[in-house]
Every structure is written in C-alpha cells, then in structure tokens.
Amino acid sequence: MNKNNFVITIATVNGSGSQSANSILLKTLFRMGVPVGGKNVFPSNIAGLPTWFWIRAEENGYVARRDKADIFIAMNAQTLVEDMKTLKPGGFFIYNSDLASSMQPTLEAQAKEMSLHLIPISFKPLVDQSTDSVKIKKLVINMVYVGVLAKLLKLDLDILNKTIADQFDNKESVILVNKKAAELGYLYAEQQLSSVYFPFQSQLTEKNKDKIIMDGNTAGALGWLFGGCTFTAWYPITPSSSLVEKYIQLAQKYRKDETGKNRFAVVQAEDELASICMVLGAGWAGARSVTATSGPGLSLMAESAGFAYFTEIPCVIWDVQRVGPSTGMPTRTAQGDLTSAVFLSHGDTKHPCLLPGNIKECFEFGQEAFDLAERLQQLVIVLSDLDLGMNLWMEKKFSYPEKPFDRGKILSAADLDKISQFERYGDPDQDGIPSRTLPGTWHEKAAYFTRGSGHNSKANYTEKSDEYQFIVDRLAKKWETAKTLVPKPIYISSAEVEKSLDEDINNTQLSVSSSQSIGLIAFGSSDLAVKEAMKLLTDKGIKSDYCRIRAVPFTSDILDFLKNHPITYVIDQNRDGQMYELLKSEFNQICHLIKSVKHYDGTPITADSIMNSILTMENKRCQ
Amino acid sequence: MSVEQSSSQNPPLTANVNKVNLTKKEYTGSPSTLCTGCGHDSITAHIITATYQNGLHPFEVAKMSGIGCSSKTPAYFMSKSFGFNSMHGRMAPVTTGAKVANGNLHMIGMSGDGDTASIGLGGFAHLIRRNLQMTYIVANNGVYGLTKGQFSATADKGAKQKNGAYNPFDTIDICSLALNLGCTFVARSFSGDAKQLVPLIQAAQKHRGTALIDVISPCITFNNHDGSTKSYTYVREHDVSLQELGLIQPMQEIKVDYPEGSTQKVVLPDGSELYLKKLGNHEHTVTDKMAAMKLLHDSAKAGEILTGMFYIDETASNLNEELNLVDAGLVHLNEAQLRPSKDDFNKLMAEFN
C-alpha cells in the first residue's frame, strides 16, 4: 500500500474547464496534510488542444515532477493511446470509455503488454444525472473524476466539500452542481469498483500545518506589493501576465490612501520597448519601478537595458522564462534566458540577476530586487520560469517583512546643502556607486543631465577617452560591490536533503560532506528535482553536495565549492548549459572540474533525468 | 488684434525678473553645438522665452528628448532643470514613466521628425492616446541630420534631397495624425516665427494633456537647397498663418482690442487666456476637431504650410488623472504608506492554505 505516495496525470482538452476540478483535487490533498505539487502542462491555444495536469504526492515532500504516473485519468480521445504509455507498469488507467469505442482493442492490448489496470468508466450517464444544462455538463464532467478519485484514494470528504465551496467562492448553485457531480463519481466507484484492489491511498497528516500552496507569479506579485513597488509598465506575454494581473488585484485592495487615491500605478504599454522605457522614466524619477515579461519581451528591452546600465537608473525586469528561441513553445518551461539576461544589450554591459528557486524566494526577491536596484543604481533582472511561475508549490508560510526599504544613495536638498559639489557619476565612497538626486529636488545643485552618450563624472557630454574610461571602470567596480550584496548560494549535503524538504535550510556556508562527494550546482525551479536526484543517487551509493546559485554576479565561495569537489555537475534547463558556460568563463581555472547536465524538452526537469545523466557521466569518470 | 500686456500690482513682473523672481538668464543652457543657423536653436530660444514668461521654475521642469539633432537641444536651455536625453524614438514612453511617477514634474519634450514619425511612431501614438500632460515639440526638418541628410517620414512627396534624389513617398503629417489619435492640443509653427511660436509654447505649457507643436525647423546643412520643401526660403514663401496669437497670464490686466467675430478666446486651466485672431481666408473654430482635420487636408492640398493653433480641448482627462494617483507623487511614498500591515499579511497568507 502506498500511503500519500503517488503520481496522478489527468489528460483533458484545453478549455474544457478541468482547471477547477484539478485544483480542487490538489488542494484537497494539500489540506489533508499530504505534501503535493501540481503542474499544468498546457498548449498555446484557447481551446481544443490536449492539456495535462500532473499531481505528485509524496509523504516526505519530494513533490517534483516524475517521468511516469501511477494513476491516469484520461479524458481526451486524441491522446488516449499515447497517454497510456506514460504510466508505470502496474499503473491504473482510468478513462472515459465513451470516447474509446474504436480504440478499445488497442487500449486493451497495450494495457496487457504494459501490465496496466484498465478502468473504463462511461461518464455520460453520470453527468446526465448531475444537470440538464448542456453547457454545465461539459464543465462538471471533470468533477466526476474527482469523485471517483475521492473514493479510490480515500480522500477526506469534509475537506473535499469545503475545498469545492472555496473554489467556487461560495456561489451556492455552482457549488451544488459540482458537489453533485463529485458525489455521482464517488457513488459509481463505491458500487462498481469495489472489487478493484487500489494500492494508493491518502491519509490525514499534520505535515502541512504551517504551509501554503501558491504559484510563483502570485508570490512575486506579493513581493512587489510588500517591497514597495510603485510603478509598473507591462505588455501582456505568457507566462508573465498572471503576475501583473495578480499585482493589480492586490494593489487595488491594499494601496489606496484614505481618500481612495492610488499609491501605485500600472500602465499597460503598447509593446515591450515602451514598457521598459516607462520603467526607466519612473525609476529615474524615483519610483520603485518594474516590468514583467518573457523571452521575446526581454529581447525587445535590450537597448534600454544598456541605457539603464550606462545611465545608472534603478529598475527591475521580472522575466518568467519560457521555451525559445523566438516564439518557441510559449506555454512550456525553460531556463534559456540566463546568458542573454546577464549581458542584455550591446557594448560592455552586465546586470545583476536574481534566481529564485521557490515561491518563498519569489516573494523575497520580489522585494529585494528593488533594494538592490536602488542600492546599486542598476537594472536588476529576476529570472523565474513558467514552471515556478505558473505551477503550484508548497512552502512554509512566508514571514512578514520588517526590513525598511533600501533607497540607496539619494541626496535630498538638505544633503546637497552640506556638500560643495554634486557629481552624479562620481565615486564618493569608493564602492563604484555614485549618488543621485531625484528630479524635482528644489536645489541649485540638484539637476543633472541624463544621457546614453559618453559622459563624465559631472554628467556632461564627453568623447574624451579618460573620462569615458573612468565611468566604465567605475561600473566594473560596482559589479564587484554587487557581489557583496546579492543573495549567496544555499548549500545542502545529501545528509541534509530530507530535512530541507520540510524546513528552511539556509546554509550560506560551504559544506563538504566527504572528499568523495560529488558537487551539484543548479538554480531556479530545478531545486526540488535536484534534491530528489540527490536521494536517488544516495540510494545508489553516490553522495553529493548541492550548491544552489541564487544570483549573478557569482560570489567567491562558489569557486571554493568547485575546488573542494572532485567533480561538479552543473544542472541547466537549457540546451547550451548556460549556467555551466557562465561558471566556466568566470572561474576558468577550474574548467576541468565541472560537467554539464541539461534538460530542455519544455517539460519541468525531473529527478530521473538528472540522475540518469549523472550516472552515465560518473560511470565514465570512475572507469 | 493688439494685445497689450501691462503689469499689474500682483504678481510683480518687472523688466528683469518673472513671477518666480528669476531673470531670463537663469533659463539658459550650455552653448549649442548645432550648425550655425539651425532652426532648432531658434526653437530653443523660444522655449527659454516662453518658460521664463510663464514663470515656471527650472527646478520643477524635466526636459525630455529622444535622439537626433532636435533631441540634443535640452542641453541648450535651462541648465538648472533635470534633463533626460533618452534613446532614439523613446522620448514618449520614458516621459510617460517619469510623469506618472511624479505628477508634479513639468515635462518639456523635444523630439524630431525621425524620432517621432519613424522610429518613435508607436510611442508617439500611444502617448497621445493616453493624453499624458506634457509639451511635445517636434523640430521638424524632414531629414536625418546626424547621419548626413537621408529623408525622414515627414519629407514631402517629390521633395529633393541635397544629392538630387526625390522622395517618392507620401509625407506623414504629424498634426493630422495627432488629431486622428485624439490629441487634445495640436498646433504647427515655424522656428523663425517667434511671434507665433512663443505664445503657442506658453499655451502648451499650461495645457492639461498632451500639447503637440509641430515646428517646421529648417536644416541649414542638409535640407536648405532648391527643391527642398523645408528650406527657409520655401517655408517663408508657403507659410500661411491661421491666426495671430496672444497669451494673457492670469492676474495680468488685459487690454485687448479686436473686431467682433474674428477673435476667439480660449481659457487655459490656470486662468490664462489665449487669444486667436483670424488672419487670411481660413475660417476656423479651434475647438472643432472635424473642422481642424478638413482644414489641414485642404491647406495641404493647396500647397500651403498652414501654421497656428488647430485644435484644443481642455476637458479631456489626462493619464495621471485616469490613474487616480495620490497628489504627492509616487516617488516619496515610504514603508508605512506602501507596505500592508501585518494583519493584512496574515489574512493574505490564509488565502493560500
């Protein structure tokens, strides 16, 4: 019997309303205290193309995606046969037999070959009983499978009903029809499937007591809200749009003054060229200013990124990465923007990038990005991705941010009184960071001229080599200062992995568990899959230490980590191993100590693929 | 019409200082590096005069521009104002961000015909759509000066380049386009016509939304030859002034002498009055948008370069008003004003379990 340990895949047709049903199923498990993760694999389409929802339940918290499912709910005729192939041997294939008629022999043969259990259910009569409305039938059919699973998995029915009510915002009639459909599914399973031995069960636990479940875009929007974001310009693009939409909702509720006026502004721009320019204008004026986008938008922002770098304007880009190049696969996930983000624009340009690895960091970096941008007077790019941004992740409840905003070196009129001369592009503190004044500051010395052309420390136009070089050398010095300010990597050894799933382990100190341990470096949404891969590798006798990089520029402790391991595998969700390449160019003395593990098929990375790549390379290395 | 402006007791407008007690000299900038005789330098001088006369304090002004000869000019006026010489074609969105962030800033934008009508056309259109409050001056010479004389999108069909090439494409008429996009202040002038341009800039600075002035500003180096339709000679020969303009500041004693029926008065948001006395044959009401469109169409067809005030609407709300922003500006808000309470935070967290 597998208690609280199973993978469910649900195949439906895009636009058929399965999202509510799947959320209810996931959230019911979550509220029962079962550690879960949910991933929506959807097409770039309004309606008609196939879509899948993956649920992973695992008692210890290993809830990253796995390659194969234990239980399949097949509601899409187009994909029935292919879907069956994604089950583990011995798995359960529950399908809508109304769709299968001509495929029935094929399904039966394939199930036999794969040793699967076939559970055909005719959904039509069940749906017919739940409602007379043709329109509603199409939607509530999904609740019928929720009911079937409720019986098979022994879900807590009180929690299920409460979750249904919450999902439909306490709208009585909607709740009733959905509950009824679920009940019909439940009764069907009770009466017709009682003889089936079903080895997967859920059970109430206390594990999720202090936990929340959220997508990374929502967490990012909360970060903006609490981080004091005041200006946002955006152009809608998947998978970043939901972040801004969520932020607008939040700001409208929490950012009104006593008279009902807004303490925030959001402008939907005409394109990404304009959205980043608006963000620059607002950042220059002194607002905490941000845009959200994805790959194609990031490309359009390139010129402005260089302008922001050279003119030292604080601003933030939140890039929810998707599969490229070009339009690529807009609804699939990747980490392919890393290199272009770090070096976005022409000339000598580089930007601090933050790499959140979970929803808690989406919330925290959503705030920290503004502090860093204002402290460094730079564009800061946050690299999330579709998997982290749009899928549901469990995490400990966030803590309330108490830290004051870091507005950086802003000189007020009173400050200007105290100094003999204001140099906008000087280096008053020898840390590469100049002082700035905000437009509108009422003082003779306040004004300066912002220009993307060559300028000297007084912000005057120049084409003189030494004056130009002073500025770009100081910008390079600022990059060194950035290394002391960006979030450090988190280090976890294989011995600590299990613990890290349940509680925060924030070791920013390097740990080497033994001289035999291999090193692993990853970033962003790969985190949970890497942790599970560490467990799988331990089971195979390979110990590992894990360094999760959370920012560029790299801190020097990463070099120590690399030097202290016989080999380090750098895990990227892109074809070219972009993190691997960045590390090689930064720490070129250790090129022989690192190898690249890549996953880039558009799906979220799995522990299986990480482990298999590493095992293959380890076999060669140790021969 | 003769509009006499005499000083009243309040505010004191002496010969040397304006209402914020600054001399005109305090509105000047660095020496121009444009070609001697460039129309843009005249525009710079008119901006200085208009801003001085309006009594705007340089500390409250932000000078915005894109890239090009036109966009260099903010360095040549009002050194005590902040300046933002942005990217090619990007003045509109940069200004949008800055003005929304701090609504108390007074925005003076300087763009060119390439900057506005080619590379920045999208931003220009959407700035107008949003009615961002700013003075938007296009120094329009029909050519790219800094890259040595290629045609821009405002070059007239059949116009001749210095090297003899003809422009085969229709011109983009910035004023017609702006009207179509819903611009709430549309005017055209000539860089050499101080009498007309100064009151237009003054009125623009008082306007509640986007105030567009398309200023024909000859390029002395690359577009001042025979066959050019934007040379000094051609513009002087074809310039048809629609009105004679006069602007009366609020609190000034007004002595206006005009014949009945031929002069319109527009009251601007600060109480100033813009007087428009009809010149020539064109009958036009400046609050009638359809009439303005027809007027521009007809005069272009007749080969005229019609200048003057074409359209004004002081009733439309601007972007900052639509966004319902706090009066103090977004830039100075602090933690207490921006960060929701711990109580709200806990309620928010409860939505996710």
Side-chain angles (χ1 to χ4, degrees):
Chain A
M1 183 62 66
N2 286 284
K3 278 198 177 126
N4 294 345
N5 185 9
F6 44 83
V7 177
I8 308 173
T9 303
I10 299 158
T12 52
V13 176
N14 199 34
S16 65
S18 57
Q19 210 177 349
S20 320
N22 297 339
S23 303
I24 288 166
L25 185 58
L26 182 78
K27 205 145 190 190
T28 301
L29 286 165
F30 169 73
R31 288 173 168 182
M32 287 176 64
V34 184
V36 281
K39 295 194 192 302
N40 190 15
V41 184
F42 59 105
S44 176
N45 157 263
I46 306 284
L49 289 180
T51 177
W52 296 268
F53 193 73
W54 293 330
I55 294 175
R56 170 94 188 270
E58 209 279 336
E59 184 108 284
N60 295 308
Y62 290 112
V63 294
R65 181 191 156 222
R66 289 306 294 268
D67 281 347
K68 302 265 171 172
D70 301 300
I71 304 155
F72 207 106
I73 304 287
M75 304 293 287
N76 184 356
Q78 300 166 62
T79 57
L80 274 181
V81 177
E82 284 303 307
D83 282 344
M84 191 184 268
K85 295 177 187 163
T86 66
L87 269 173
K88 279 185 210 159
F92 286 76
F93 193 71
I94 302 166
Y95 64 104
N96 184 353
S97 57
D98 308 334
L99 310 169
S101 53
S102 64
M103 283 173 277
Q104 195 60 33
T106 319
L107 293 176
E108 279 168 17
Q110 196 170 291
K112 199 170 172 194
E113 194 183 312
M114 293 176 65
S115 316
L116 303 177
H117 303 273
L118 271 191
I119 304 184
I121 298 177
S122 177
F123 278 73
K124 194 172 177 300
L126 298 171
V127 178
D128 285 345
Q129 285 175 60
S130 68
T131 176
D132 293 330
S133 155
V134 177
K135 204 175 143 198
I136 295 175
K137 276 181 192 175
K138 277 188 192 157
L139 300 172
V140 298
I141 189 168
N142 304 302
M143 285 308 294
V144 177
Y145 67 69
V146 172
V148 171
L149 284 172
K151 172 65 191 155
L152 292 175
L153 290 167
K154 296 198 166 52
L155 296 185
D156 184 288
L157 296 184
D158 290 340
I159 295 176
L160 174 64
N161 283 329
K162 167 90 173 52
T163 308
I164 293 174
D166 289 351
Q167 176 73 31
F168 298 109
D169 217 10
N170 295 312
K171 280 182 215 116
E172 262 327 301
S173 59
V174 187
I175 294 168
L176 271 179
V177 67
N178 278 282
K179 274 190 186 170
K180 189 165 181 200
E183 243 172 67
L184 288 161
Y186 188 91
L187 288 172
Y188 176 89
E190 196 169 55
Q191 288 156 11
Q192 307 295 321
L193 306 177
S194 57
S195 60
V196 176
Y197 171 71
F198 196 74
F200 304 100
Q201 270 181 30
S202 61
Q203 202 173 47
L204 290 165
T205 83
E206 293 289 301
K207 281 223 147 200
N208 297 347
K209 229 173 70 185
D210 299 321
K211 301 260 164 67
I212 52 169
I213 189 161
M214 192 187 282
D215 63 76
N217 281 356
T218 299
L222 283 166
W224 294 10
L225 181 74
F226 283 87
C229 167
T230 45
F231 182 86
T232 307
W234 68 304
Y235 186 74
I237 182 169
T238 304
S240 72
S241 308
S242 65
L243 197 167
V244 183
E245 283 169 339
K246 186 73 201 178
Y247 173 72
I248 294 170
Q249 266 178 28
L250 290 167
Q252 275 167 350
K253 189 162 172 195
Y254 295 103
R255 284 285 191 77
K256 296 268 182 198
D257 74 358
E258 304 71 29
T259 64
K261 291 203 166 182
N262 291 329
R263 287 178 171 145
F264 74 100
V266 179
V267 179
Q268 186 183 319
E270 51 273 25
D271 51 36
E272 288 93 344
L273 298 172
S275 55
I276 187 64
C277 284
M278 289 178 191
V279 164
L280 254 58
W284 173 77
R288 306 201 114 192
S289 183
V290 66
T291 184
T293 191
S294 190
L298 190 73
S299 297
L300 284 179
M301 294 178 188
E303 187 192 9
S304 294
F307 186 93
Y309 178 75
F310 198 36
T311 57
E312 304 180 61
I313 295 176
C315 53
V316 178
I317 297 176
W318 190 286
D319 176 14
V320 188
Q321 298 167 91
R322 65 188 214 188
V323 171
S326 190
T327 306
M329 296 197 284
T331 59
R332 302 302 156 101
T333 195
Q335 298 177 323
D337 298 351
L338 179 64
T339 318
S340 71
V342 175
F343 299 112
L344 192 65
S345 204
H346 55 273
D348 286 319
T349 307
K350 43 190 175 181
H351 314 283
C353 292
L354 300 183
L355 311 169
N358 50 53
I359 55 168
K360 179 168 157 268
E361 285 177 353
C362 287
F363 176 60
E364 290 172 354
F365 292 179
Q367 303 163 62
E368 190 160 359
F370 295 110
D371 285 348
L372 277 173
E374 291 208 291
R375 170 56 50 188
L376 291 164
Q377 294 174 33
Q378 273 197 281
L379 164 64
V380 171
I381 303 177
V382 183
L383 291 168
S384 175
D385 64 34
L386 185 141
D387 184 23
L388 179 57
M390 293 192 72
N391 288 324
L392 291 162
W393 304 75
M394 279 191 359
E395 193 69 52
K396 256 206 163 120
K397 257 178 211 161
F398 305 153
S399 23
Y400 183 73
E402 308 275 4
K403 220 175 81 181
F405 303 149
D406 182 359
R407 302 288 325 253
K409 300 182 190 177
I410 297 177
L411 299 178
S412 65
D415 297 329
L416 291 167
D417 271 339
K418 292 177 211 146
I419 56 173
S420 57
Q421 200 187 12
F422 163 54
E423 282 199 337
R424 170 64 182 100
Y425 295 117
D427 191 3
D429 307 309
Q430 299 303 309
D431 57 3
I433 306 170
S435 302
R436 66 172 179 141
T437 50
L438 303 184
T441 303
W442 211 266
H443 199 282
E444 288 284 326
K445 293 181 208 141
Y448 68 93
F449 202 88
T450 301
R451 44 163 65 89
S453 43
H455 46 263
N456 60 21
S457 60
K458 296 189 182 74
N460 293 324
Y461 183 86
T462 190
E463 294 182 19
K464 286 186 187 152
S465 302
D466 56 338
E467 290 187 335
Y468 164 80
Q469 247 177 346
F470 169 80
I471 299 290
V472 289
D473 286 343
R474 183 178 52 68
L475 287 168
K477 197 200 275 181
K478 187 153 89 172
W479 186 252
E480 294 305 310
T481 301
K483 290 179 183 175
T484 66
L485 298 174
V486 297
K488 284 189 162 176
I490 300 278
Y491 295 96
I492 292 173
S493 69
S494 32
E496 296 165 308
V497 160
E498 201 107 338
K499 207 172 118 200
S500 78
L501 297 172
D502 203 40
E503 53 192 274
D504 289 346
I505 293 194
N506 292 321
N507 298 337
T508 52
Q509 297 295 318
L510 163 73
S511 73
V512 183
S513 46
S514 90
S515 62
Q516 299 304 307
S517 295
I518 60 168
L520 301 177
I521 284 181
F523 66 104
S525 66
S526 304
D527 186 43
L528 269 184
V530 173
K531 286 175 175 164
E532 189 167 10
M534 289 168 80
K535 177 186 176 279
L536 299 178
L537 287 166
T538 308
D539 294 347
K540 299 205 180 286
I542 299 173
K543 281 190 179 157
S544 55
D545 297 320
Y546 170 30
C547 160
R548 181 164 63 83
I549 294 180
R550 300 195 295 163
V552 180
F554 300 131
T555 44
S556 58
D557 48 319
I558 297 172
L559 179 62
D560 298 333
F561 180 88
L562 293 167
K563 282 181 176 167
N564 282 310
H565 289 89
I567 190 79
T568 293
Y569 294 97
V570 181
I571 299 149
D572 271 282
Q573 295 192 53
N574 54 62
R575 185 196 64 185
D576 293 340
Q578 295 182 17
M579 178 59 84
Y580 166 78
E581 293 294 339
L582 284 179
L583 287 165
K584 274 205 305 188
S585 85
E586 178 81 13
F587 304 120
N588 49 40
Q589 65 272 46
I590 48 75
C591 286
H592 58 293
L593 293 178
I594 60 175
K595 284 185 185 293
S596 177
V597 171
K598 299 155 191 163
H599 171 90
Y600 53 93
D601 65 1
T603 61
I605 194 166
T606 63
D608 314 77
S609 78
I610 296 169
M611 179 189 65
N612 291 335
S613 302
I614 290 176
L615 285 179
T616 309
M617 285 188 269
E618 276 294 281
N619 283 337
K620 275 189 202 151
R621 187 176 73 92
C622 300
Q623 259 168 20
Chain B
M1 173 183 66
S2 70
V3 181
E4 247 179 71
Q5 305 179 9
S6 65
S7 336
S8 66
Q9 299 299 314
N10 186 26
L13 197 70
T14 71
N16 295 320
V17 296
N18 62 8
K19 69 172 183 189
V20 291
N21 282 316
L22 295 176
T23 63
K24 194 169 173 185
K25 198 163 171 268
E26 291 177 88
Y27 288 80
T28 56
S30 311
S32 170
T33 60
L34 299 173
C35 309
T36 306
C38 176
H40 300 1
D41 284 334
S42 309
I43 301 176
T44 297
H46 304 326
I47 291 174
I48 290 170
T49 305
T51 314
Y52 163 74
Q53 287 182 356
N54 273 349
L56 273 174
H57 199 290
F59 294 173
E60 64 186 310
V61 170
K63 306 171 292 178
M64 312 300 285
S65 66
I67 289 290
C69 292
S70 63
S71 297
K72 286 170 175 265
T73 59
Y76 314 141
F77 59 89
M78 294 165 74
S79 296
K80 286 175 186 166
S81 299
F82 277 75
F84 197 127
N85 178 194
S86 70
M87 289 156 281
H88 201 18
R90 307 292 159 239
M91 179 182 90
V94 169
T95 308
T96 303
K99 177 70 183 172
V100 169
N102 185 353
N104 299 316
L105 290 175
H106 187 101
M107 316 306 282
I108 301 177
M110 246 326 240
S111 181
D113 38 307
D115 201 55
T116 287
S118 288
I119 191 167
L121 191 60
F124 173 69
H126 289 270
L127 176 107
I128 287 174
R129 221 183 117 225
R130 299 186 185 103
N131 200 27
L132 185 87
Q133 187 178 23
M134 75 175 293
T135 300
Y136 191 125
I137 297 173
V138 183
N140 184 352
N141 59 18
V143 286
Y144 292 91
L146 284 173
T147 51
K148 302 201 182 298
Q150 301 81 0
F151 280 129
S152 85
T154 64
D156 292 297
K157 190 170 186 174
K160 208 171 101 185
Q161 232 174 54
K162 206 176 178 184
N163 63 13
Y166 282 89
N167 173 32
F169 306 117
D170 259 332
T171 179
I172 289 181
D173 174 12
I174 291 171
C175 288
S176 302
L177 180 64
L179 276 172
N180 229 309
L181 291 164
C183 191
T184 52
F185 182 118
V186 183
R188 182 181 292 137
S189 191
F190 168 47
S191 61
D193 189 351
K195 229 178 129 200
Q196 183 189 54
L197 185 49
V198 170
L200 279 175
I201 297 173
Q202 284 185 287
Q205 290 182 345
K206 292 163 186 286
H207 178 59
R208 213 174 137 206
T210 306
L212 172 82
I213 312 175
D214 173 25
V215 185
I216 311 300
S217 175
C219 174
I220 194 95
T221 306
F222 294 108
N223 207 7
N224 199 33
H225 45 267
D226 290 345
S228 160
T229 57
K230 291 203 166 46
S231 65
Y232 278 107
T233 314
Y234 187 91
V235 176
R236 287 212 171 93
E237 281 169 2
H238 294 79
D239 183 357
V240 175
S241 286
L242 188 59
Q243 314 105 340
E244 186 186 322
L245 290 98
L247 187 122
I248 313 295
Q249 300 286 353
M251 310 302 285
Q252 268 183 267
E253 194 183 325
I254 304 164
K255 288 182 190 166
V256 198
D257 171 28
Y258 55 86
E260 273 304 302
S262 66
T263 299
Q264 297 169 66
K265 181 178 88 173
V266 179
V267 180
L268 298 166
D270 71 343
S272 308
E273 293 173 343
L274 179 67
Y275 287 88
L276 305 144
K277 185 193 166 201
K278 185 193 144 192
L279 295 173
N281 304 321
H282 294 292
E283 293 287 347
H284 180 55
T285 308
V286 289
T287 49
D288 184 341
K289 193 195 299 201
M290 288 309 291
M293 288 169 127
K294 186 168 186 320
L295 179 67
L296 284 175
H297 177 262
D298 292 348
S299 76
K301 217 171 165 189
E304 297 172 354
I305 299 175
L306 189 69
T307 58
M309 183 82 215
F310 301 143
Y311 180 66
I312 186 163
D313 170 11
E314 290 295 355
T315 63
S317 60
N318 60 41
L319 177 61
N320 284 42
E321 289 166 342
E322 286 297 327
L323 290 172
N324 188 29
L325 304 174
V326 288
D327 300 326
L330 298 171
V331 296
H332 299 297
L333 297 173
N334 58 31
E335 287 86 347
Q337 293 157 314
L338 294 175
R339 190 179 268 165
S341 69
K342 203 164 188 170
D343 203 37
D344 284 334
F345 177 79
N346 289 333
K347 280 183 207 151
L348 269 166
M349 283 297 106
E351 288 176 26
F352 299 97
N353 59 21

